[in-house]
Amino acid sequence: MNNGAVKVNEVGSTEATELTEKVQAFINALLKTRNITPNAVQEQMLTSHVRAMAHRSLTGEPLPEVEESLFDEISADSLEMAKQVVEQFGNLPIEEAWLLSVHFEVAKDNL
């Protein structure tokens, strides 16, 4: 029986959870400075996305190919916030920011 593998999975899971919580706290502070308040559904979707980003950051799993032109209508502010969040991970591609920016853009409509 290989208990080591189970231990690694548990550690990886803990690491992903801690990374998710750290980045989520960063996002919450970022949104607060801009008076953006996601509703409950938006918050849940954002948290799910951040959890997936943490997983990709830790495992190196790539995103499917993303077309930049799909994000032409995202504001510069939302994209800048997303880039700041992606920088927290330190190893994710710019495409992650494009996808994440949609969450911020949608939440702005709550104002």
Side-chain angles (χ1 to χ4, degrees), residues 45-54 56 96 99-100 103:
M45 292 175 71
L46 178 59
T47 300
S48 177
H49 189 159
V50 171
R51 192 175 301 119
M53 290 171 72
R56 288 191 290 274
E96 293 278 5
L99 293 168
L100 187 64
H103 292 279

Side-chain angles (χ1 to χ4, degrees), residues 10 27 31 38 43 45 49 54 74 76 79 81 83 90 92 102 104 106 111:
E10 289 170 2
I27 290 170
L31 293 176
E43 185 72 35
M45 292 175 71
H49 189 159
I74 300 295
L79 187 55
M81 284 191 294
K83 286 178 181 177
L92 294 176
V102 174
F104 301 142
V106 170
L111 298 177

Side-chain angles (χ1 to χ4, degrees), residues 43-96:
E43 185 72 35
Q44 185 177 20
M45 292 175 71
L46 178 59
T47 300
S48 177
H49 189 159
V50 171
R51 192 175 301 119
M53 290 171 72
H55 173 79
R56 288 191 290 274
S57 175
L58 294 170
T59 65
E61 179 183 319
L63 273 175
E65 198 166 312
V66 180
E67 182 61 45
E68 184 177 7
S69 65
L70 294 173
F71 304 92
D72 286 347
E73 305 214 1
I74 300 295
S75 70
D77 185 54
S78 290
L79 187 55
E80 183 54 39
M81 284 191 294
K83 286 178 181 177
Q84 289 178 35
V85 172
V86 169
E87 287 173 7
Q88 299 302 302
F89 291 99
N91 66 342
L92 294 176
I94 187 65
E95 290 84 354
E96 293 278 5

